[in-house]
Every structure is written in structure tokens, then in C-alpha cells.
Amino acid sequence: MIDVLVVDDDFRVAEINAKYVGKVPGFRVAARAHTAAQALAAVQRGPIDLVLLDHYLPDQTGLELVHRMREQGHGTDVIMITAAGDVTTVQTAMRLGALHYLVKPFTFAALRTRLDSYAALRRTVDRVGGRGVAGQEQVDRIFGALRTTPLPSSPGLPSGHSEPTTDLICSVLHEADHPLSAHEVAAETGLSRSTAQRYLRHLEQAGRLRLTLRYGDTGRPEHRYAWVAP
């Protein structure tokens, strides 16, 4: 699970954002904070993987908080969620290492897209990190994992299929460097195996995935799926 700190001076907004986070598979709210001091204390207590950070806080700005975190050696990832839309603030957030910048007001779908891409980044770094040294292809995978434009999925989804779930599965397959089984896709996305299998079957029939069979000791082949580049 990815532990998230939700920081917003408005208690109501913080609660809404926390509920949004709780609806995304693989994420949980570890703490809430309404001031920069509370947020810094929560990061110091740890473990916090990701901070959803408002810029306008009563004691410091969000970016001042990020600067203090970095000075103290906290490499905790940050996604800015704020009404501050001026270019200077956006540029400063980038320079301090914010991974995404979401301008209020926003929808749950917009936040989920950022969280899904963040989860994809962590999975990609974990895979690449096992190799010790990253070549250009691996570096491109890491940077590409932060994309927020939904990957192309098949038009006209069948009844019972949702676009966000389809995009999530497409993202997992797109980033994988080898074919995945329904069980592996379910583990990566937080979906049930039966749900993953249903979506995988549809995407394979739509030509978005390539199906291969791997035979084991039982004699029953395992279905494995690979992304088909458009």
C-alpha cells in the first residue's frame, strides 16, 4: 500500500481529498494535516510515501514546506493540489521535485489519473532498480510512467466495463517489460482476478493486447497478455 499524507488548511476539503484517495486501489490515507507544521511532523514520524499538498497554508506555503522537507533530507514524493495557478508557483514546484500539479477545483477522475501514474512510476522504478544500472530504455520507462494522458483503449466498452479501469489495466500492460497473467494484473491494479480477466479478454479481442500461452506442469496453459503498440 502507498501511504498518503493529505494536507489542506480547509478541514472539509482535506476530508474530501482523503475520501478520494481511499477510493483508489493501492492507496491509503496515513494522516491528515492542516498546517505546514503538522505536515512536517507527520513526515518526520513516517512512513509517508506521498504528500498531497495544498500551497496556501496558514503558517507557511506548501512550497516552503517542501523546501524544508528537502533540507531535512526527506525525499517524500509530493503532488501539489492547490488553487495557485500562477506560472511562478508551478515552476518552483517543478524545481523542488513535485511530481504532479493539480489545480483546484478538480474531479475525482483527475486525481485518480495522477495517483495511478504515481503508482505506475513506483512499479517501474522497482522493476528497473533490480537491474542496478538503467539504460536509456529504462530511463524512458521511468519518465513515461508519469504520463497522465489515458492510454488508448477500445471504443464502445461493453456493459459493466469502466473507462478508468480500462485505462488502469492498459497502463500496467504498457509499462510491463514482459507478458503478464490475469493474476499478476490483478495484483498490480488491486482488482479481483475475475475482473482483471474480463477486461483482459475484451482488450485482447479488441486488438489492444496480444495473448500468449505458457504451459506448466499441470498441462493447463496460463494465459499471458502483452501490450500491442498502436
Side-chain angles (χ1 to χ4, degrees):
M1 296 292 288
I2 296 173
D3 288 313
V4 180
L5 169 63
V6 176
V7 183
D8 199 292
D9 67 323
D10 188 318
F11 284 72
R12 183 181 60 84
V13 172
E15 184 62 27
I16 292 172
N17 291 349
K19 288 181 179 179
Y20 279 172
V21 171
K23 292 169 63 176
V24 181
F27 290 82
R28 65 185 174 194
V29 176
R32 298 173 181 80
H34 308 292
T35 67
Q38 291 175 355
L40 184 60
V43 170
Q44 291 169 338
R45 287 193 304 268
I48 299 294
D49 300 306
L50 174 66
V51 181
L52 298 186
L53 181 60
D54 188 16
H55 182 57
Y56 297 120
L57 300 173
D59 48 347
Q60 277 189 316
T61 67
L63 294 184
E64 287 172 340
L65 171 60
V66 177
H67 185 69
R68 287 185 63 192
M69 287 168 51
R70 300 303 183 240
E71 282 186 331
Q72 295 184 14
H74 300 294
T76 310
D77 294 319
V78 174
I79 293 177
M80 298 296 297
I81 298 182
T82 177
D86 59 283
V87 175
T88 299
T89 302
V90 174
Q91 286 182 322
T92 304
M94 293 174 61
R95 289 165 183 159
L96 288 173
L99 297 179
H100 283 300
Y101 197 106
L102 192 57
V103 179
K104 295 178 181 179
F106 59 91
T107 63
F108 167 65
L111 177 59
R112 174 162 188 165
T113 299
R114 273 72 178 177
L115 294 180
D116 285 341
S117 73
Y118 174 71
L121 171 66
R122 288 173 62 96
R123 290 192 298 267
T124 303
V125 170
D126 286 345
R127 294 192 191 106
V128 174
R131 302 187 178 114
V133 177
Q136 187 61 55
E137 180 180 352
Q138 287 73 38
V139 170
D140 289 343
R141 282 181 178 273
I142 292 173
F143 276 86
L146 282 174
R147 62 181 294 165
T148 57
T149 303
L151 292 167
S153 56
S154 57
L157 291 175
S159 176
H161 287 62
S162 73
E163 195 68 32
T165 302
T166 302
D167 291 338
L168 177 60
I169 290 177
C170 286
S171 178
V172 168
L173 270 298
H174 181 266
E175 294 146 16
D177 53 9
H178 61 277
L180 300 178
S181 67
H183 177 76
E184 290 170 324
V185 171
E188 291 279 1
T189 59
L191 301 169
S192 68
R193 186 184 183 281
S194 60
T195 298
Q197 183 66 64
R198 188 171 74 252
Y199 278 80
L200 290 167
R201 187 180 302 113
H202 167 70
L203 289 167
E204 186 267 328
Q205 292 173 350
R208 304 308 309 132
L209 304 178
R210 181 177 67 255
L211 171 63
T212 58
L213 301 178
R214 186 173 73 178
Y215 290 87
D217 297 334
T218 63
R220 185 176 181 178
E222 179 185 52
H223 290 202
R224 300 184 68 81
Y225 298 86
W227 178 255
V228 177

